[in-house]
Amino acid sequence: MAFVKKEITHARPAPLSERSVIGWMHKHLFSSFYNSILTIVTLYIIYITTKGLWVWGIADAVWIAESRRECFDISIDGACWAGVIAWMDNIFYGRYPKDELWRVNVGILLLIVWMLPLWLPRVKGKIFIAITLISFYPFLANYIFLGGESSFFSQFMVSAAIVSFVVIMLNAIIGVIQGQSISTFIATRLGSSLKSEKSQRNLNLALLIITFIIAFLWQQSWVLGEVPWTKWGGLFLTLVISGIGIATALPGGIILALGRRSKLPVIKVLSTTFIEVFRSVPLITVLFMATTMFPLFLPEGFVLNKLAQVIIAVCLFNAAYMAETVRGGLQTIPKGQYEGAHTIGLGYWGTMGLIVMPQALKNMIPNIVGNFISILKGTTLVSIIGLFDILGMLSSVSRDLSWIGLHKEPLLFGAMIFFILCALMSKYSRHLEAKLSTNRKT
Amino acid sequence: MKSNTPMDNNAAEEKLVSAASSEVIINIEKVNKWYDDFHVLKDIDLVVKKGERIVVCGPSGSGKSTLIRCINNLEEHQEGSIVVDGITLNKNLKNIDHIRTEVGMVFQNFNLFPHLSILDNLMLGPIWVRKMPKAEARATALEYLERVKIPEQADKFPGQLSGGQQQRVAIARSLCMNPKIMLFDEPTSALDPEMIKEVLDVMVELAETGMTMIVVTHEMNFAKTIADRVIFMDEGDIVEENEPLQFFNNPQHDRTKLFLSQIL
């Protein structure tokens, strides 16, 4: 019964049914008689619903009108988008003064441009970008959005933000063109006069100080009228609250999760209590507590505005949720990874920061982004305690005398905005997962 | 016994010359350890000389892995003293961290860091623990990759390598820290028969450099080739201890005889 193979079997392409569109349809949509019927019925249901939506939302809709009355006169069955268009500025910016809207745009644009180099592979010094973004941008944004008199400290931080922004932009441009960081670029341009690392560092420091002084003098001439937070609203306010919530949730969650797994009993008990208390209470309760009870705990005469209280509440609440997500991620890391790290001499922070956290966070990307999405959606609850975020603004449309009773259209518009924002986030998370995956075989 | 490692043929002739000196590098005295109520190590005494190569064997659950894991404090012992390179292992975290930088360890499951490339796996310790400049760490890493014969895999990730290659990377990762002692915890037990040889070859080469090694393994031909001493453990005790030829040809204790008859 001996058998010895003599020729090699060559690989052949897969049969047509696996590769063509018709093959795919045959396999997935019309594989049997009942499946074919199911497909046709489903298509018919989709047709009916989208047709209704199409006729109401687009075909019969009114785009230009002065009031809801006028909308009805033109088309009784169509959507009245004119109302949404008339309220567009309010939906995006709340009651922020019309002449100052550019400040909101500039602030958000600065944030985007600041982060942009993080995605450019040739740019060096990404940690610097992230650190300055977290430590200086909030002050710059605060000044741009709020305006008014600014303290010396705020001026100092604003100047630091300007300097970092300029450095990051130059660094990004040089990085894209030359593939170098800005300091090596300066050093190579000046050539042999700067041999030692120390003189190079001194030069960089001197350049930084000079730009800082220029920036400081320059920003002193800025005059921005004060826009109190009560005028903030719409999508802008939603993004401010959820943006801060998102930015603090992950670091806060990491600290709490590590605290909960700590071997030190005091830290462990404190973290666990914090997490469990916040997780056992709905966000709306936390918000009410923050605005009514929080001031009781503050020293006499120290008044925090409602927005700050809400932001603190959102941050604490979401950090507690994120902590459990991160803890789940930490549990996916096998014990061997800790032991491997210990045997090369890494201590607790080295093991956590270099070995365990990067892997745990990577495993947790879908959950973390899911958390971010729920933070964004969850902030709409602030409309209940009287802040005019996007939901507050959308429901205000129906109380405008000209557009009285107009509910459906603004809410549908809001739903579309949320859908776009959330879809972008989850799309990016899937991209990130694919990019960071190291298990693939080449 | 897996018998297709070529070492079978003439292992006895290739017996390495002992590199043991008179200097004591590990001194274990009256060490006891319990997992909850289970007594895993019972009054263990062991003295290891610098350059000595020791093979530890025994049935599973005999405490052999626990013993070597106590040497770099991956497991804590409750009684007795362990002195490594003049430093006593106690609750002092500084001592533990210092000993861990002097003692390399290779595991059954490699425990490479899957999120880092091979080169980064090797450079991590030297850069973060030894504070070595990046360029130097890179050069060291490449040198050791060359020594374990896989320099071409430097930019791949652990998941893309075969088991034998991963284990060789793990050995190189430990060597990058320039340790005085190397511990091996069943380094070939998770490997396919074809890959065992490539790992054992690297270990034999390491033995030739005079490294102090403690190896937990069931590769008896490997033990015959490199060991200065073979230790047989059972139920938390060192039952028998002898130089390899005597150990294999003339075992004294009944338990040792039974064990050897089972595996040879």
Side-chain angles (χ1 to χ4, degrees):
Chain A
M1 284 296 126
F3 168 76
V4 178
K5 186 142 186 167
K6 296 221 172 57
E7 309 99 45
I8 305 159
T9 317
H10 292 283
R12 283 181 297 129
L16 209 59
S17 63
E18 295 294 318
R19 292 180 289 141
S20 68
V21 177
I22 294 187
W24 181 89
M25 281 172 61
H26 186 85
K27 192 173 168 189
H28 293 97
L29 299 178
F30 302 101
S31 58
S32 70
F33 175 71
Y34 289 106
N35 268 357
S36 308
I37 289 185
L38 202 62
T39 303
I40 291 165
V41 170
T42 313
L43 285 176
Y44 182 67
I45 293 172
I46 293 173
Y47 166 74
I48 296 174
T49 42
T50 47
K51 188 188 166 213
L53 204 60
W54 166 263
V55 171
W56 174 80
I58 295 176
D60 287 355
V62 182
W63 302 89
I64 303 158
E66 286 299 310
S67 68
R68 190 146 189 246
R69 188 72 256 153
E70 220 182 301
C71 274
F72 282 139
D73 291 344
I74 299 169
S75 159
I76 189 84
D77 292 325
C80 180
W81 293 116
V84 175
I85 293 168
W87 269 74
M88 196 67 90
D89 274 357
N90 290 312
I91 290 171
F92 281 130
Y93 305 101
R95 280 187 285 266
Y96 212 88
K98 287 267 178 293
D99 298 338
E100 306 282 342
L101 288 187
W102 62 271
R103 280 160 60 176
V104 176
N105 298 337
V106 165
I108 290 171
L109 200 68
L110 272 177
L111 176 68
I112 295 169
V113 177
W114 200 311
M115 290 197 294
L116 214 55
L118 289 173
W119 286 281
L120 300 173
R122 275 166 71 87
V123 175
K124 307 266 188 266
K126 296 205 164 108
I127 292 175
F128 177 76
I129 300 175
I131 289 175
T132 53
L133 184 72
I134 293 166
S135 40
F136 299 134
Y137 174 76
F139 293 95
L140 183 64
N142 181 55
Y143 179 62
I144 293 176
F145 295 153
L146 211 53
E149 285 291 307
S150 62
S151 65
F152 177 76
F153 175 71
S154 145
Q155 289 190 13
F156 184 86
M157 294 309 257
V158 166
S159 317
I162 298 169
V163 174
S164 352
F165 185 74
V166 171
V167 171
I168 286 165
M169 285 306 113
L170 288 176
N171 184 43
I173 293 166
I174 292 169
V176 169
I177 298 170
Q178 298 273 345
Q180 290 174 316
S181 76
I182 186 163
S183 57
T184 43
F185 178 76
I186 294 172
T188 47
R189 273 304 123 97
L190 291 178
S192 56
S193 61
L194 286 162
K195 277 213 179 88
S196 72
E197 247 177 60
K198 202 177 168 193
S199 59
Q200 190 188 322
R201 200 179 311 139
N202 287 345
L203 176 85
N204 288 341
L205 205 62
L207 284 175
L208 274 183
I209 290 172
I210 292 168
T211 18
F212 182 83
I213 292 169
I214 296 171
F216 192 80
L217 295 175
W218 177 50
Q219 62 87 31
Q220 276 190 322
S221 63
W222 290 3
V223 184
L224 286 180
E226 190 179 350
V227 180
W229 69 268
T230 41
K231 300 248 187 215
W232 297 15
L235 183 63
F236 165 57
L237 184 66
T238 302
L239 289 182
V240 167
I241 298 174
S242 58
I244 297 174
I246 286 171
T248 54
L250 192 54
I254 289 175
I255 292 168
L256 285 171
L258 290 180
R260 189 167 187 171
R261 285 167 60 100
S262 167
K263 283 182 188 145
L264 308 171
V266 177
I267 294 179
K268 189 185 167 104
V269 168
L270 283 179
S271 311
T272 311
T273 316
F274 181 93
I275 293 170
E276 291 308 328
V277 165
F278 273 91
R279 269 164 47 92
S280 57
V281 176
L283 176 59
I284 187 67
T285 318
V286 178
L287 289 174
F288 273 121
M289 295 266 279
T291 48
T292 56
M293 285 179 63
F294 194 56
L296 298 179
F297 297 109
L298 290 176
E300 195 103 16
F302 185 85
V303 186
L304 262 183
N305 68 46
K306 199 171 174 184
L307 179 60
Q309 289 165 356
V310 164
I311 288 175
I312 291 172
V314 166
C315 290
L316 295 180
F317 182 83
N318 289 308
Y321 266 83
M322 190 61 88
E324 288 299 277
T325 306
V326 173
R327 196 166 67 94
L330 287 174
Q331 274 163 355
T332 64
I333 306 302
K335 203 170 152 230
Q337 290 293 306
Y338 293 87
E339 294 180 345
H342 289 327
T343 50
I344 57 167
L346 289 173
Y348 176 79
W349 294 109
T351 304
M352 284 298 170
L354 297 168
I355 308 300
V356 177
M357 268 306 165
Q359 294 185 59
L361 293 181
K362 199 180 80 187
N363 292 349
M364 283 286 103
I365 289 172
N367 307 42
I368 290 171
V369 175
N371 254 345
F372 286 170
I373 288 174
S374 74
I375 293 174
L376 176 68
K377 294 191 292 186
T379 45
T380 49
L381 280 175
V382 302
S383 61
I384 296 179
I385 55 164
L387 293 186
F388 283 91
D389 75 324
I390 184 165
L391 189 61
M393 277 298 157
L394 290 168
S395 46
S396 302
V397 179
S398 65
R399 292 195 287 273
D400 182 344
L401 276 183
S402 322
W403 307 101
I404 201 135
L406 191 70
H407 291 289
K408 261 183 285 178
E409 290 84 347
L411 288 176
L412 191 64
F413 179 67
M416 286 193 300
I417 291 177
F418 273 103
F419 177 78
I420 291 169
L421 290 175
C422 296
L424 283 178
M425 278 204 259
S426 77
K427 180 87 194 147
Y428 183 65
S429 101
R430 263 171 288 154
H431 162 78
L432 211 58
E433 266 175 76
K435 197 178 147 192
L436 294 179
S437 162
T438 54
N439 299 330
R440 61 181 182 263
K441 309 263 174 194
T442 40
Chain B
M1 176 69 203
K2 287 152 189 142
S3 58
N4 45 1
T5 51
M7 246 174 268
D8 284 67
N9 315 326
N10 43 11
E13 292 100 290
E14 281 180 12
K15 174 86 179 83
L16 290 180
V17 182
S18 171
S21 68
S22 58
E23 191 187 332
V24 173
I25 196 158
I26 302 175
N27 192 359
I28 299 175
E29 267 176 36
K30 291 259 172 277
V31 162
N32 279 285
K33 175 168 175 65
W34 289 263
Y35 287 126
D36 296 322
D37 270 345
F38 181 59
H39 201 169
V40 253
L41 295 179
K42 300 170 182 160
D43 279 343
I44 300 286
D45 287 306
L46 178 66
V47 176
V48 182
K49 303 273 171 53
K50 192 163 192 279
E52 202 174 9
R53 297 183 292 266
I54 294 178
V55 165
V56 184
C57 60
S60 63
S62 61
K64 49 195 193 312
S65 287
T66 311
L67 173 64
I68 69 164
R69 287 158 66 89
C70 278
I71 294 172
N72 64 354
N73 203 254
L74 283 185
E75 303 284 353
E76 241 173 86
H77 59 284
Q78 281 97 17
E79 281 176 14
S81 87
I82 299 177
V83 180
V84 181
D85 197 24
I87 303 164
T88 309
L89 262 181
N90 47 25
K91 296 266 180 223
N92 188 336
L93 287 177
K94 271 236 166 72
N95 281 358
I96 293 173
D97 281 347
H98 186 235
I99 285 175
R100 281 176 179 165
T101 61
E102 304 293 344
V103 181
M105 184 154 187
V106 175
F107 301 89
Q108 182 177 352
N109 298 317
F110 329 132
N111 292 347
L112 293 176
F113 308 130
H115 62 304
L116 299 175
S117 72
I118 299 304
L119 205 54
D120 287 336
N121 263 280
L122 266 61
M123 287 162 62
L124 193 84
I127 289 176
W128 290 90
V129 181
R130 293 264 191 246
K131 312 287 177 208
M132 201 185 268
K134 252 192 183 159
E136 197 186 331
R138 197 186 154 82
T140 319
L142 286 172
E143 185 195 320
Y144 280 110
L145 273 186
E146 194 86 44
R147 256 177 67 178
V148 299
K149 303 180 198 75
I150 33 175
E152 73 282 359
Q153 311 286 1
D155 295 319
K156 289 199 182 161
F157 285 93
Q160 299 168 318
L161 267 55
S162 73
Q165 290 172 327
Q166 289 195 47
Q167 193 61 293
R168 284 185 281 157
V169 171
I171 295 172
R173 181 177 72 181
S174 286
L175 293 177
C176 277
M177 290 297 289
N178 200 12
K180 293 182 175 154
I181 303 160
M182 284 289 284
L183 307 174
F184 293 84
D185 189 0
E186 306 206 25
T188 55
S189 301
L191 298 177
D192 289 341
E194 279 185 316
M195 293 169 182
I196 291 176
K197 182 182 180 302
E198 60 187 51
V199 172
L200 291 181
D201 282 351
V202 166
M203 288 169 66
V204 170
E205 276 175 39
L206 183 63
E208 283 167 355
T209 65
M211 174 69 77
T212 312
M213 292 164 77
I214 303 182
V215 186
V216 173
T217 185
H218 292 140
E219 294 292 330
M220 289 306 147
N221 283 303
F222 171 75
K224 284 177 195 164
T225 318
I226 71 142
D228 297 319
R229 243 195 303 167
V230 180
I231 288 174
F232 177 71
M233 287 184 74
D234 188 35
E235 295 184 347
D237 262 326
I238 293 183
V239 174
E240 190 162 347
E241 186 179 330
N242 212 334
E243 56 128 334
L245 271 180
Q246 285 297 314
F247 179 84
F248 289 111
N249 298 338
N250 190 15
Q252 301 296 314
H253 197 281
D254 287 345
R255 188 67 188 87
T256 321
K257 285 178 191 162
L258 180 67
F259 178 76
L260 289 176
S261 72
Q262 303 276 1
I263 65 162
L264 287 176

